[in-house]
Amino acid sequence: MKTAVMTDTNSGIMKAEADSMGIFLIPMPVIINDETHYEGIDLTETSFYESLTGGKNVSTSQPSPGDLMDLWDDIFEQGYDEIIHIPMSSGLSASCSTAISLSDDYDGKVQVVNNQRISVTMRQSVIDAKALADKGKNAEEIKDILEAHKMDSSIYITLETLKYLKKGGRITPAAAAIGTMLKLNPVLQIQGEKLDAFAKARGKSSAKKIMLKAMKDDCDNRFKDYAQQGKLHMEVAYTGNEEEAREWAEAVKEAFPQYDFHMDPLSLSVACHIGYGSLAIAVSAYVPEAE
């Protein structure tokens, strides 16, 4: 069986990297003042953040069913027997449930993974899926393996502003106003389906300390067995603030020197909902079957 691996740009993977990895990619739509753009195609980070911070109306959408099915059909026309598709977490976007519904028309030849990942942790799942496919695992086996390990990741993220959480209805205007007045930097977490509140910090320096401690606690407890073997991928993500992110990356590598490391910007369709200037730390456990 010839199995194709595909994902979307919420993984942080853009077209050039996807081509080099031998995987297929669908870009996420970003709507700016009612005009649809596609991440990594006709929308750059610079133009996106200029639009976001400049007060333009910026929103996101999932790939259209037609675009998704056209890509699947094209993959089959290239001689692949089946597809393993890895979208972002079903708890953060409807794109996963849409893909699952559309896959019903493909008689099991398209397997959609719902392993609750986003950004750098999702990227690692794509890498693991490709390794499994190269080992001869079929699409259904890859789906089962990735979903069996869906809780073996953790993300903590702090935001520069509460403006975009308020805009998306995730916090009330009153809570946003109080948080801004007190100069609070929320620390949020993803451990499973959804984005949840974790802590409130007075300033970003305090938020960074909270995230490092939380990640150490995860490594010492939730991921103890993997940590003892050094089998954790340590990861950093950010939204636009690359220079600050590089300093954050050095702090993370200093705190966790025993693990391999990767840093990526968060996808623009995610940045739309949290704004410029966020910092995240994440970890993904090795998938034993992919080693």
Side-chain angles (χ1 to χ4, degrees):
M1 296 289 285
K2 190 177 180 185
T3 303
V5 176
M6 71 168 286
T7 189
D8 60 51
T9 51
N10 279 315
S11 62
I13 298 170
M14 297 297 131
K15 189 176 186 309
E17 185 178 15
D19 290 345
S20 69
M21 294 169 69
I23 66 166
F24 295 88
L25 184 74
I26 189 162
M28 294 299 292
V30 177
I31 304 162
I32 301 175
N33 285 353
D34 298 323
E35 185 174 329
T36 301
H37 300 269
Y38 293 91
E39 184 170 10
I41 304 299
D42 65 344
L43 183 63
T44 65
E45 280 192 60
T46 300
S47 61
F48 169 80
Y49 286 112
E50 285 176 354
S51 298
L52 190 68
T53 59
K56 292 184 179 180
N57 186 20
V58 182
S59 60
T60 60
S61 177
Q62 58 179 301
S64 74
D67 287 346
L68 187 58
M69 294 174 78
D70 283 348
L71 180 53
W72 288 348
D73 292 342
D74 180 60
I75 291 171
F76 287 125
E77 287 174 7
Q78 293 183 43
Y80 287 89
D81 300 300
E82 52 182 12
I83 297 168
I84 184 78
H85 175 44
I86 306 171
M88 69 187 291
S89 170
S90 61
L92 300 172
S93 170
S95 58
C96 184
S97 59
T98 297
I100 291 172
S101 178
L102 294 173
S103 72
D104 289 342
D105 292 338
Y106 287 80
D107 299 322
K109 292 181 180 179
V110 175
Q111 296 287 326
V112 180
V113 176
N114 184 16
N115 69 332
Q116 317 300 350
R117 302 294 176 95
I118 183 65
S119 184
V120 284
T121 61
M122 181 176 166
R123 177 184 183 274
Q124 186 57 50
S125 289
V126 174
I127 293 171
D128 292 335
K130 186 66 170 68
L132 289 165
D134 290 345
K135 284 177 174 284
K137 298 290 186 184
N138 65 37
E140 186 174 7
E141 289 171 329
I142 295 170
K143 176 182 184 292
D144 290 344
I145 290 168
L146 294 183
E147 291 183 352
H149 293 282
K150 68 180 182 180
M151 295 306 293
D152 293 342
S153 72
S154 183
I155 298 175
Y156 298 94
I157 183 167
T158 188
L159 312 184
E160 187 70 33
T161 175
L162 298 169
K163 173 182 176 180
Y164 301 98
L165 286 182
K166 180 185 75 172
K167 182 181 177 182
R170 288 170 173 81
I171 60 172
T172 66
I178 292 170
T180 301
M181 181 177 65
L182 296 177
K183 296 182 178 179
L184 294 179
N185 288 81
V187 175
L188 310 176
Q189 66 175 340
I190 302 176
Q191 293 184 359
E193 286 190 15
K194 297 185 178 180
L195 187 68
D196 295 313
F198 180 76
K200 296 176 183 176
R202 283 288 187 94
K204 222 169 192 179
S205 177
S206 176
K208 291 175 185 176
K209 291 177 183 176
I210 289 171
M211 291 195 294
L212 288 174
K213 182 181 183 302
M215 186 56 72
K216 185 177 187 307
D217 288 344
D218 279 348
C219 292
D220 289 346
N221 295 288
R222 286 185 63 207
F223 307 123
K224 181 179 179 180
D225 292 342
Y226 291 106
Q228 287 177 340
Q229 301 174 66
K231 292 187 174 182
L232 291 173
H233 306 284
M234 194 61 59
E235 301 143 337
V236 160
Y238 62 97
T239 53
N241 48 335
E242 185 173 358
E243 185 174 342
E244 183 183 25
R246 291 194 181 281
E247 294 177 3
W248 172 233
E250 291 306 312
V252 171
K253 286 190 281 188
E254 183 178 342
F256 303 98
Q258 66 272 48
Y259 307 128
D260 61 68
F261 178 84
H262 180 79
M263 180 173 78
D264 260 344
L266 277 160
S267 74
L268 303 183
S269 55
V270 174
C272 174
H273 300 288
I274 57 177
Y276 178 91
S278 68
L279 293 172
I281 182 172
V283 70
S284 305
Y286 281 46
V287 173
E289 296 91 337
E291 291 184 62

